[in-house]
Structures are given as structure tokens and as C-alpha cells.
Amino acid sequence: MNSFTAFIVFLVVINISACNAYAGTLKFNATRDVWISAYPGEEEFNMGAADRLKLKGIQEMALLDFNLTSLNGKKIEKARLYFCNTSKKNKLRKIGISTVASPWVEGKSRGPFRDTIGKGATFLYSSYESQRWADERSDLTDVTMGMGHTWQHHTELRKEEGDWWSVDIAPELINALIAGKSYGLLIMDESGQTFANNYVFSRESKHSPYIMITSTDIRKNKPLRPDAELVSSMEHAHMDYGAAVLKVPIKEDIFAFDVFINNHEVPLWRIPKPGPKGIVHEIILDWLPPEQKVTTNISAVDELGQRSEPAVVSGYSSGTLQRITFQDRPSNGIIEKRNLNTRGEKEPSARHLKVWAVPDITKIDPILGHIISETVAEGFDKENSIWSEDGNVITLTGVRGEVVGFQLCIETENRDFEDIEVRLSFLDSKGGARISADSFNLYQVHYVKVKDKWYPELAVPMFDGKIDMKIFQKSIENRSNQLIFIDVNIPYEINPGLYNGKIIIMRKDKPERSLAINLDVKDIIMPQKLVFVPELNIYRGPGTAGTEKFLQAYRIAHEHRTVINRIPYSQDGRVHADMIPAITYSDGGEIKIDWADYDKRLGSLFDGTAFTEGGRKGIPVERFYLPFFENWPSELSSNYKYGITERKTQETISRHALDSPSLDEALTSEYKDRFVKIVREFKKHFEANGWSQTEFQFYLNNKWKWTDSSSWWNLDEPLSYDDWMALKFYGVLFQQAFGAKPSQFVFRADISRQRWQHDWLNGILNRMYVQSEDFFRYPDRARKLKEDGQIKFSVYGSLNDIDLPNQQTVMWCMCAYVEGADGVLPWQSLGGTKAFAFPDKNALIVNAKEEAGVDWVVSLRVKALRRCQQNVELLAILERENGFNREQIRDLFYGYFDMGKSGYYVDKMDRAVFKNVNVDKMEHFRKILINTILMYRTSRL
């Protein structure tokens, strides 16, 4: 070798050595891992010492941790996670990886058991029974997959040698580990539609998971010290905590922040990721002692793990939110004494009729004559929140435009109800104003037998005030009474004040009883347009759209301050012909829509002309389903480029999960283009007609498991990652028609597992309907999605069973509202003729042509739904007029009913059960709520 060649070799060696000094790939074995189960009943189990990890959709997952301190200061080029299968039966394809925003304990349980010794992590606890993952009702989902300001990555497996598999990991997740901004990684199976039990070896085995990371050295100045400001913030204060906002102008690319308050580190799940350069980043500190000096230390952290010098900023926390003062707050619900302006006749002992009054949501046994389904004070027939036997007086309170309901219980000694008639007089005020008898609606209550007991259930209109013996149930042996339900429709234009009148009970055209009725009308206006919307979801009917029978059902719902919402298609992929316009397609792709019949059938619902009577005359329906779904306006199967055409079974769905391309790749451009074009045509036509008062909803209701379903996914109540991504795809497609700007065209979804939604639909979903039990278990999650994702929400479920108290329905709505919802939805609401004879929990509007000679009657539970809707409107008026927020209303509501922080619990049957409620206390709450609104108005004068 000559000297020149030796010199060249020397240079090459030097260069290779230099490269090795600045770049390389290193292997990191897992230092901790734990198998986590979210399966019901196993949420507190730890498997931290098990020799394997299980990955199964949203049921089973794993936490892994790695010591990456040697990579501090290095730039991450790429990373792959390797793990070894324990079985050939594994069905894995898609994997989700997330950072973890809370520290956790590996534990000592080989599982599945509660780790009382090692206190290892579980789905509910980061350290069993010692620490939740975030706040007091949190779980693992609160600090992973985008929640708790975490990073996430979704990828697919790659087969390696032997039984090994690998997945790529996005560099920012590794950066988070290096910078101390994650406590390990969460690993999830996102091919969840396979429902397969997938096992991989843990670090306790001979085949530990490991990461291969390629990095390069990089010289970079550490971040600048933040120029922060601490500002007191009443906007973010709570009932028991003050708040402040740490404002940080972003002047360079920043990966994360370290934040300390009074020398205590702020948890990662409370610190949002920095935004782009040029904005003022805000860190909300809303758990501070009120009106105290606060000192914060904040350092900027870059992706290499380098930290700036800390900025020390001091300021003061705000005070707490104002507690709302009731005008009249009883200690135990005792009913106030009345000023009796008008009295009825005392009962002569010789007469054989007894008549007394009860509130609208009370149930009375038709045989024994006592209150059923709830506990009330003794002597309820003599004295209750609306009735006093002393003077035979009914005392009601309402506001202008409100419908105030009550019931008369008519008892006869000889059980003879022939020729009984209820007559009502005018209600007159001293000032000469009058509420006519036409403002009253009377209903004969129909009873339904549940097991061995009869319950009041249906309200059949009484057009002449007479008990109709044709529908009177003589089959109820030994019955002693008949309930008459009476609605008082208080006119909007009436003057406030006290109105007096009489109710006469006639028998064979002779007066038998005279009751006084005093109605105190308060100067508050019940909104005509619903602020809180109870929807009656239906899947068919009520008759063909546009027919009189169809419109009558919508009218009866409308007058009860609810709205029917009919899903315009079926699970088998058929759109309902009466819910779409006539559309023709040319070979060249031109679309022609004939709107004439569509407008004739449905237009009156959208402009309000279908509603010609009552206090809400002319108000359009608040919500209405659009006909778009996966199989309309184009057929899915002929436009979905995926090979399986067999009937959807668990086996074919599993193959679909493992083999199918993404939706965007699999669907034809014609399918997507037609969808967007026709959505635009709908919006254009609706705007041209001035239909601006209705929220038109794009809703995907179908599930693959239903027979002949047109869907490959659970679009209703999504379960697996593919379900969520299908919803996201269609939501984005819907937005393309008109952009992301606010619109009355909204994308909505039914969510039964809101914690698994993560942040995947933020900015796409406009309204979510949260399953009732899930909502009442995790109301904080719904409010978080509302705040972060700008997602409004309602609650769906069922009204109370017929043999349960109707105030459960009232409390369902009111608790939903105070927890942040703006509507409720019973999932099925239409009942057939059989509902007259057999209990049907879902029969809320009932076909009554054969039994009662009218198209439709309502369940008394719809009357309860109206009662709660109006109660909520009063709460909303108090909130809106005084600038209160929902937390203050929640505090007021639960405080009155002595319910603690929440007024309910979820029982072993997954039902929300509401506590400390009886009908008198509920009625008294409504009255003092009205007085409180008026008190605050006076205080502002």
C-alpha cells in the first residue's frame, strides 16, 4: 500500500467513525409493562407480572415503558416496536400507540386479580386504590389517545422473522418519552372487529418487547425562557375553586412545557401542547385555592428534551363562582300554606262522590286509591302541593305560555262512573282579564296492567268532558276511581296575576261537586322555540309522510313541547321513498331534483304551517333527520371496492377488518362526488325556502350485525377503531359540501362508549347523542368533548317503565340539562294498538283509531316529558338572564334536592336512578324557581 492509498483509507475510517458518532440505531428492551383490561368486571384487575400481554380491541391493551435517557439531545429519525406472538391464532393488523400522561405502577399480579400488594395499574387506577389516572372519575382513556394532551399514532403491523411482528412509531412519541412528557406507551389492537384474543410475550418472558430507534446527534440551542403572564380568570372558576390563566406567547417551535405551581408540578394531563409560532398559548389553571397569590415556574421543552431557564411568574387566583340564592328554599319540601281567594263547596256527607287533585306526574292505584310508585306524605288526598281539602281548592302556578297539567281523582262508593262529566268555568282575574274554558284540555286516563297491578298510562282526549264508558275499563275489578288529566294552556298574551274559577263535577246533568281553581300567572314567558329539545325517535310511520295521520302525530308531539324525528331509511339499506325528493341521473353525471312532492309532504314541518293551533303555533320542528346514509344517494355495495359479497357474519366482518383498504381508497369517486353534490342541493333548496329554524341532521344509524345490513361498520354506537374512522370519513365527506363553518346542517352520531371516542371526531362531529347510562357514569367526559371538540350533546335512552314513577323521566331530563346536555331522546317512541292492552315501555305516541276513535294518544310519560322540558326552560331562563353557567345551575339543583355532587347513581342494571325525589318536592322546586327568576330581575332594577 502506498502512502496516498493509506491516506485515503485513513480518511474513510475517520469519516466512518464520525458518522458512527453522530448516527446510529439502538435497541431498547421494555423496562416495565402491564396488561390492562377494560372488560366489565375486570377494570380493577392488574396483570403487571404476567408473562404475556393481551391485545383485544377496546377490552384488553398494554402499557410499555422504556429507558431512553441515552437519547437525550438526539434527533429521532425513526423507531419500530417489536413484539413476539404467543400464538398462531392472533388476528392483528392495525395498532394504535399513544403516550401516557400520568405515572403508573407496574404491579405484582400475574392476574387477573386486584393487586392489593403491589398496587399495580388497572384500567381505573394508575395505582390500584391509591391514585386514579387523572381526576376522581377518570380512567386510562382520560390520559391517552389524544385525551390529556397526549400524542397518538395509528399504523399497521409488519411481519418479521419467526413469530415476531413490528410497527413503526411516530418520532414525536419517542420525543415525548425522551423529554419526560410521557410515562411509557399505550398499545392497542385497532382491528377490533375481529374480536380475537391476541397474546404477545411480555418483558417477564424470554421474548421481551423492544424498540429499535435510529437517531442522529444534533446541535441546537436550548429553548428561550418563556415570556409568560399569569392572569386571574373568573371565566374558568368553579364553585369551590378559583382560576388563573398562564399566557405564553409562542416565539419559536416548542415541543412541551414544564409547569410548577407553588413548587408543585402540574400533571401532564393538565398542560396543553404548545401551538404554532405567533399565537398566545393559554394554560388554564382552574383548580386553585380562591383569591390566593400564585407563583408559577414555566420552562419550555424542545423535541430533544432540552429545557429553557424557568420563568417565574406570580399573580392571583380568582374567587369562586357565585352560588345562586333561592327566593324560598325549604328545608324538607314542606308545602307552603295558601291564600285561598276562591273556595269550593264543602262535601255533604250524603254524597257518594269524592274528588281530589294531584300533580301531573302522580300515579294513583285505580283499585286501592293510594299513590303508587313513590313515597308521599300521609294524607296526600287531603293536602298536597296543589290541593287542599280545606276549601276544596286547587292551587296552580305557571308562567305565560306554559302548559300546566294536573289530575282529578274521581272516587265513587258504588264504583259507578256512568254519566259523570267535568265542566270548567272561565278563569277570571280581579283586573277583568279572562282565560277561557277553551284553554283547558281534558283527558280520560287509560290504565295498563303490569304483572298483577294496574297503572295509569294513556291520556285519551275528552271532547265533551264526559267519562266515555266505551273505553272505560270495566275489566279492572273492584276499581274505586278514575283519573282525569287536565291541561291548562296559559295564553302568551295574558296579563300576569291571580285567576280564579271553578270545576264542576256533574252526574246525570246535576252538579255533584264544586272545586275552586286558583291559577297564579307569573310574568315570565315560556319560550315558544325549544331551548332544551326532547326528541321522539321513530323508525317508521307515523303513516306516509304528508298525510293527515302523519301530520297529526307531529302535531301532538309539538303541542307537548317535543319533536318527532323519524329515521328515513332501514338497516337493510332501503331509503324511505316518502322522505326523499325525486332524483334523476343522466349518463353524463348530471343530477336533476324534482322537489315538488317532497316540499308538499314535509315543507309544512320546516316552515311551521303544519302547526296552526296552540301556544307554539307556527313554530317549525326543531330537529329533523336528513335521508343521507351509507346506501343513499348511492348504493354502497356497487361502489365499494372490496371483494367479500357474502352476508355479513362475524367471520366475514373479521376478514373485512384484516383485509379491507381505507374507505377513501375503497369507495369510487362517483360515490363520493354524488354524495357531496346532493348534500349541496339539499342545503341550497332549504335555504331558498327559508327553512332556517330546523337543525337538519346527517345521522348514520346502521350496524353490520343486523340482518341484511348495508353497513360494514357499527356506525350507530361505534365500537372499534374502524367504526370510528368510518364515522370520521362520512363526517368529513359531509363537511365538503359546505365547509366547516357553522350551519343548520349538522353531523350527529349516537355514542354509547364516549370514552373510546378520544379526540377522533373533534372538529367533525357537531352533535353527539350519548347513551344515558354511559353519560351519567361519565358526564365530565361529555363536557370535555363539548369544550375541546365543540361537540354539542343530547342524551338518549328510554323514559321510565310504566310501573316506575314518572318523576324519573322529569329528573332524567333535568339532570341531563344541569350536566351540560341540551336535549334528550327516547330511542323508540311509536306504539301500536296493543299498547292499550299490554305494557310497552317504548309506546309514547300510540295509534288509537281502533280503541279511542282518534289517530293518536300520548302516554302520561310524554306529559312528564313536557313537564321536565318546561322545568328546564325555567332553569335556562335563570341561567341566561343572569349570566350564570351550567355549573352554577347544577350546584343549585343538586343542592335543593340534597343530592350531593350528583343527583343519581347507576345501578347494577346500568340504569340511572335519581335520588331524594317526590312529587311535592318537585312541584315546590318549580314554584320557587319561578320566584327566584323574578327576584333576580328585581335585584337588577
Side-chain angles (χ1 to χ4, degrees), residues 125-138:
Y125 294 95
S126 61
S127 178
Y128 177 61
E129 289 191 329
S130 300
Q131 182 65 52
R132 296 298 289 251
W133 285 99
D135 56 33
E136 61 181 348
R137 288 195 283 193
S138 63

Side-chain angles (χ1 to χ4, degrees), residues 7-25:
F7 178 74
I8 295 299
V9 171
F10 175 77
L11 288 180
V12 170
V13 170
I14 292 296
N15 283 332
I16 291 173
S17 300
C19 289
N20 286 337
Y22 290 96
T25 299

Side-chain angles (χ1 to χ4, degrees), residues 30-37 46-48 52-55 60-66 81 98-106 120-123 125-127 133 140-141 143-144 182-188 201-204 209:
T31 56
R32 297 187 300 160
D33 58 20
V34 57
W35 162 7
I36 297 285
S37 177
N46 168 265
M47 285 76 82
R52 60 182 181 168
L53 307 169
K54 186 176 179 182
L55 305 177
E60 319 270 354
M61 59 220 69
L63 293 173
L64 307 175
D65 200 6
F66 304 87
L81 169 65
S98 171
T99 60
V100 184
S102 186
W104 47 275
V105 176
E106 184 179 28
T122 72
F123 182 70
Y125 294 95
S126 61
S127 178
W133 285 99
L140 181 59
T141 64
V143 294
T144 55
S182 180
Y183 300 93
L185 298 173
L186 170 70
I187 312 298
M188 292 190 68
F201 285 108
S202 74
R203 77 176 188 90
E204 284 78 7

Side-chain angles (χ1 to χ4, degrees), residues 46-80:
N46 168 265
M47 285 76 82
D51 63 358
R52 60 182 181 168
L53 307 169
K54 186 176 179 182
L55 305 177
K56 184 181 181 180
I58 63 172
Q59 294 181 0
E60 319 270 354
M61 59 220 69
L63 293 173
L64 307 175
D65 200 6
F66 304 87
N67 183 356
L68 304 184
T69 54
S70 62
L71 296 179
N72 199 298
K74 297 182 184 294
K75 179 183 178 182
I76 304 304
E77 301 293 346
K78 59 182 180 179
R80 293 195 75 84

